[in-house]
Amino acid sequence: MKSLITQGVRILGTGSAVPDLVINNHQMSEIVETSDKWIINRTGIKERRVLTGVNKSVVDIAYFAAIRALQQVGMNPLEIDLIILATSSPNDLFGSASQLQAKIGAYKAVAFDLTAACSGFVIGLVTATQFIQNGSYQNILVVGADVLSKWTDWSDRNTCILFGDGAGAVIMQACSVEKNSILGFQLNTDGQKYDQLSLRYREHINSSQNFQFFQGAFQYITMNGKEVYKFAVSKVPANILQCLDSLNISSGDVDWLLLHQANERILNAVADRLSIESNKLLSNLSKYGNTSAASIPLALDEAIQEKKILKDDIIVISGFGAGLTWGTIVIQWKC
Ligand code: COA
């Protein structure tokens, strides 16, 4: 897809936050019938973070991630033009991004939520890129944050062992076209498979004397694990190759592969199919589990803090999950 590029985009800084409560696999085995060995063998996850506390929400962890990113680059929140909050676990169905805007004091920013589950952050980066490249905005805060612990069925061992809570943020800024660091992207959706992984709304009928009102509530996460696994290991490498081909970049040129942190076996299978060495795979899955929209910016922030990513490194970032939706964005690190 071609767009009119009037200015380049660079990622100026990153930040992340996780809740304090750690639940390890041994503690999980007190909640459902499972074991540390089973979870590590099948997923690579050792522990996850869970948000606790009365009325604590996705906004609270998104706030810390955003503030850390702002502090890292020394930016006044009033300089932000747009906030995109990628989340599938808002504390208000009308959106949580506006609460984040108020909480960090970014009063001049437009703010909206973006719901695309585990692909949300990649789609957020692509969306922000369009607003900057076409000259609409200069500074954009993109946050990926989820608290799926609130929507997990804690009696379902097929799903509850996988997820954790967290948030990650990046600040994107306009720059000259020559310094543009967003090289390209490739996004896909297959809505026919939406029911393989979902958090469904269930309706009941509320009858009054003259009318029937169809109302309901959201249920817990349901997942066909095997199908989601097959989808990820086939569609994600194909999508990455298509994106790299369109940019004339070979997988040998890739310095870092940053995949949505769903399952260690998925990460390794994707890297294998792309012939990318495992030491180029960024992974923090063992500490946090699958944090949905937060997983990519959380791992990116960690890699930046650990000074793994160097100037001009090429990073392939791919998100995948419910929708089913998957997408890749290729970045050349410029900071
Ligand atoms: N602890 C112990 N045993 C478990 C278990 C758990 N937490 N969950 C399932 N099992 C059991 C099953 O009941 C089954 O037992 P059975 O053989 O007696 O029937 C056995 O382990 C194998 O289950 P299965 O579902 O075939 O395991 P799997 O190898 O497919 O692994 C997942 C399950 C969920 C780890 C794997 O399918 C997966 O990672 N899928 C992708 C999920 C994902 O990443 N989703 C998010 C995408 S964004």
Side-chain angles (χ1 to χ4, degrees):
M1 200 174 292
K2 296 268 179 276
S3 60
L4 188 64
I5 298 178
T6 66
Q7 49 188 8
V9 186
R10 62 185 182 141
I11 295 182
L12 206 58
T14 59
S16 63
V18 288
D20 292 334
L21 179 68
V22 180
I23 301 186
N24 66 31
N25 290 344
H26 296 290
Q27 291 164 311
M28 286 302 304
S29 69
E30 291 160 15
I31 302 170
V32 286
E33 197 181 329
T34 189
S35 67
D36 180 48
K37 194 169 163 213
W38 192 96
I39 301 174
I40 289 181
N41 283 344
R42 303 284 175 125
T43 70
I45 299 166
K46 291 182 180 158
E47 56 190 39
R48 68 286 294 141
R49 301 298 183 101
V50 171
L51 185 68
T52 54
V54 180
N55 289 329
K56 290 284 179 213
S57 77
V58 72
V59 176
D60 295 286
I61 46 173
Y63 166 80
F64 284 113
I67 286 293
R68 283 171 193 158
L70 284 163
Q71 282 170 349
Q72 193 198 88
V73 302
M75 184 180 278
N76 183 327
L78 292 173
E79 292 175 62
I80 298 174
D81 303 307
L82 171 66
I83 298 170
I84 300 175
L85 174 60
T87 186
S88 300
S89 42
N91 64 345
D92 186 324
L93 269 189
F94 288 159
S96 294
S98 54
Q99 295 169 60
L100 180 62
Q101 183 248 33
K103 208 168 160 85
I104 64 172
Y107 304 115
K108 292 183 180 165
V110 181
F112 62 81
D113 287 22
L114 189 158
T115 309
C118 304
S119 303
F121 185 74
V122 167
I123 299 178
L125 288 184
V126 171
T127 306
T129 298
Q130 309 312 304
F131 279 116
I132 293 179
Q133 285 184 337
N134 71 19
S136 300
Y137 296 124
Q138 299 297 304
N139 295 317
I140 301 183
L141 170 68
V142 182
V143 181
D146 266 309
V147 286
L148 290 188
S149 65
K150 293 183 182 292
W151 299 101
T152 299
D153 179 350
W154 287 97
S155 66
D156 175 14
R157 68 177 183 173
N158 292 299
T159 53
C160 73
I161 54 134
L162 297 173
F163 300 105
D165 301 338
V170 298
I171 293 171
M172 299 171 80
Q173 187 171 64
C175 61
S176 66
V177 175
E178 294 70 38
K179 289 190 176 155
N180 180 46
S181 68
I182 306 293
L183 305 184
F185 66 89
Q186 175 70 43
L187 303 177
N188 290 89
T189 298
D190 181 0
Q192 293 181 94
K193 299 213 171 80
Y194 87 96
D195 58 350
Q196 301 297 326
L197 177 52
S198 63
L199 206 171
R200 240 169 269 169
Y201 175 81
R202 190 174 295 153
E203 219 163 55
H204 59 262
I205 301 169
N206 237 345
S207 298
S208 74
Q209 217 168 5
N210 302 319
F211 299 103
Q212 283 191 327
F213 297 105
F214 296 82
Q215 297 188 307
F218 287 95
Q219 308 295 303
Y220 290 129
I221 296 167
T222 57
M223 179 184 73
N224 181 340
K226 278 200 189 314
E227 285 308 311
V228 173
Y229 188 94
K230 281 193 263 175
F231 143 73
V233 299
S234 63
K235 299 292 186 189
V236 176
N239 175 271
I240 292 173
L241 281 178
Q242 197 181 347
C243 191
L244 288 175
D245 278 354
S246 73
L247 298 168
N248 283 324
I249 296 173
S250 82
S251 45
D253 297 329
V254 173
D255 294 293
W256 298 106
L257 183 59
L258 174 45
L259 303 174
H260 164 53
Q261 308 284 298
N263 179 321
E264 199 76 51
R265 290 190 297 150
I266 294 177
L267 305 195
N268 291 330
V270 173
D272 262 10
R273 288 189 189 193
L274 296 167
S275 303
I276 292 179
E277 301 94 311
S278 58
N279 61 351
K280 294 183 173 176
L281 196 53
L282 294 172
S283 172
N284 61 7
L285 185 80
S286 64
K287 290 190 289 182
Y288 305 122
N290 178 344
T291 56
S292 192
S295 88
I296 290 171
L298 198 53
L300 179 65
D301 184 47
E302 258 186 28
I304 300 292
Q305 302 307 328
E306 290 166 9
K307 303 198 181 339
K308 281 185 175 165
I309 296 174
L310 304 175
K311 189 165 181 301
D312 291 329
D313 277 359
I314 291 183
I315 314 167
V316 169
I317 300 178
S318 282
F320 54 89
L324 297 175
T325 299
W326 62 107
T328 296
I329 185 164
V330 180
I331 290 176
Q332 186 159 30
W333 197 253
K334 298 284 186 187
C335 287

